[in-house]
Short mmCIF file of all heavy atoms in Angstrom, two decimals:
data_model
loop_
_atom_site.label_atom_id
_atom_site.label_comp_id
_atom_site.label_asym_id
_atom_site.label_seq_id
_atom_site.Cartn_x
_atom_site.Cartn_y
_atom_site.Cartn_z
N ALA A 140 -77.29 -9.67 112.05
CA ALA A 140 -77.95 -8.39 112.30
C ALA A 140 -79.30 -8.20 111.73
O ALA A 140 -79.54 -8.80 110.66
CB ALA A 140 -77.03 -7.23 111.75
N ILE A 141 -80.22 -7.51 112.39
CA ILE A 141 -81.52 -7.37 111.89
C ILE A 141 -81.85 -5.93 111.57
O ILE A 141 -81.61 -5.06 112.50
CB ILE A 141 -82.52 -7.97 112.89
CG1 ILE A 141 -82.48 -9.46 113.08
CG2 ILE A 141 -83.93 -7.61 112.42
CD1 ILE A 141 -82.65 -10.30 111.87
N PHE A 142 -82.26 -5.68 110.35
CA PHE A 142 -82.49 -4.30 109.93
C PHE A 142 -84.03 -4.15 109.83
O PHE A 142 -84.70 -5.04 109.31
CB PHE A 142 -81.88 -3.90 108.55
CG PHE A 142 -80.39 -4.05 108.60
CD1 PHE A 142 -79.70 -5.28 108.61
CD2 PHE A 142 -79.60 -3.01 108.42
CE1 PHE A 142 -78.38 -5.35 108.59
CE2 PHE A 142 -78.21 -2.96 108.39
CZ PHE A 142 -77.65 -4.30 108.47
N GLY A 143 -84.46 -2.89 109.98
CA GLY A 143 -85.93 -2.68 109.62
C GLY A 143 -86.29 -1.21 109.52
O GLY A 143 -85.65 -0.28 110.32
N LEU A 144 -87.14 -0.94 108.57
CA LEU A 144 -87.75 0.47 108.45
C LEU A 144 -89.10 0.34 109.17
O LEU A 144 -90.19 0.08 108.51
CB LEU A 144 -87.77 0.97 106.96
CG LEU A 144 -86.41 1.21 106.43
CD1 LEU A 144 -86.53 1.36 104.97
CD2 LEU A 144 -85.76 2.56 106.98
N SER A 145 -89.08 0.38 110.48
CA SER A 145 -90.26 0.03 111.29
C SER A 145 -91.38 1.13 111.41
O SER A 145 -92.37 0.97 111.90
CB SER A 145 -89.84 -0.36 112.66
OG SER A 145 -89.02 0.64 113.20
N GLU A 146 -91.01 2.31 110.90
CA GLU A 146 -91.93 3.37 111.08
C GLU A 146 -93.36 3.13 110.77
O GLU A 146 -94.26 3.58 111.54
CB GLU A 146 -91.45 4.71 110.33
CG GLU A 146 -90.15 5.38 110.92
CD GLU A 146 -88.82 4.73 110.48
OE1 GLU A 146 -88.81 3.58 109.96
OE2 GLU A 146 -87.87 5.34 110.73
N VAL A 147 -93.67 2.40 109.66
CA VAL A 147 -94.90 2.18 109.31
C VAL A 147 -95.66 1.32 110.34
O VAL A 147 -96.88 1.47 110.42
CB VAL A 147 -95.07 1.59 107.87
CG1 VAL A 147 -94.54 0.11 107.75
CG2 VAL A 147 -96.35 1.57 107.27
N ASN A 148 -94.81 0.59 111.06
CA ASN A 148 -95.56 -0.24 111.92
C ASN A 148 -96.05 0.54 113.19
O ASN A 148 -96.86 -0.05 114.06
CB ASN A 148 -94.49 -1.23 112.60
CG ASN A 148 -94.05 -2.29 111.54
OD1 ASN A 148 -94.71 -2.44 110.69
ND2 ASN A 148 -92.91 -3.01 111.82
N TRP A 149 -95.59 1.73 113.47
CA TRP A 149 -96.28 2.50 114.50
C TRP A 149 -96.74 3.73 113.91
O TRP A 149 -96.90 4.74 114.74
CB TRP A 149 -95.28 2.67 115.62
CG TRP A 149 -93.90 3.17 115.27
CD1 TRP A 149 -92.89 2.49 114.78
CD2 TRP A 149 -93.35 4.53 115.64
NE1 TRP A 149 -91.72 3.30 114.89
CE2 TRP A 149 -92.10 4.49 115.37
CE3 TRP A 149 -94.03 5.61 116.36
CZ2 TRP A 149 -91.22 5.72 115.48
CZ3 TRP A 149 -93.24 6.78 116.48
CH2 TRP A 149 -91.85 6.75 116.03
N GLY A 150 -97.09 3.92 112.63
CA GLY A 150 -97.95 4.96 112.13
C GLY A 150 -97.34 6.15 111.85
O GLY A 150 -97.86 7.31 111.92
N ILE A 151 -96.00 6.14 111.46
CA ILE A 151 -95.34 7.36 110.93
C ILE A 151 -94.57 7.01 109.69
O ILE A 151 -94.58 5.86 109.17
CB ILE A 151 -94.40 8.04 112.00
CG1 ILE A 151 -93.18 7.11 112.31
CG2 ILE A 151 -95.11 8.32 113.36
CD1 ILE A 151 -92.05 7.92 112.93
N ILE A 152 -93.88 7.98 109.06
CA ILE A 152 -93.02 7.76 108.01
C ILE A 152 -91.59 7.95 108.46
O ILE A 152 -91.34 8.59 109.44
CB ILE A 152 -93.32 8.72 106.79
CG1 ILE A 152 -92.91 10.10 107.12
CG2 ILE A 152 -94.80 8.52 106.29
CD1 ILE A 152 -93.15 11.05 105.94
N PRO A 153 -90.68 7.46 107.75
CA PRO A 153 -89.26 7.55 107.99
C PRO A 153 -88.79 8.95 107.70
O PRO A 153 -88.23 9.22 106.60
CB PRO A 153 -88.49 6.45 107.19
CG PRO A 153 -89.53 5.53 106.76
CD PRO A 153 -90.85 6.38 106.57
N ALA A 154 -89.07 9.85 108.56
CA ALA A 154 -88.73 11.26 108.39
C ALA A 154 -87.23 11.52 108.91
O ALA A 154 -86.49 10.45 109.06
CB ALA A 154 -89.67 12.22 109.04
#
Side-chain angles (χ1 to χ4, degrees):
I141 298 292
F142 298 74
L144 291 163
S145 52
E146 284 84 347
V147 72
N148 292 341
W149 53 285
I151 68 162
I152 65 169

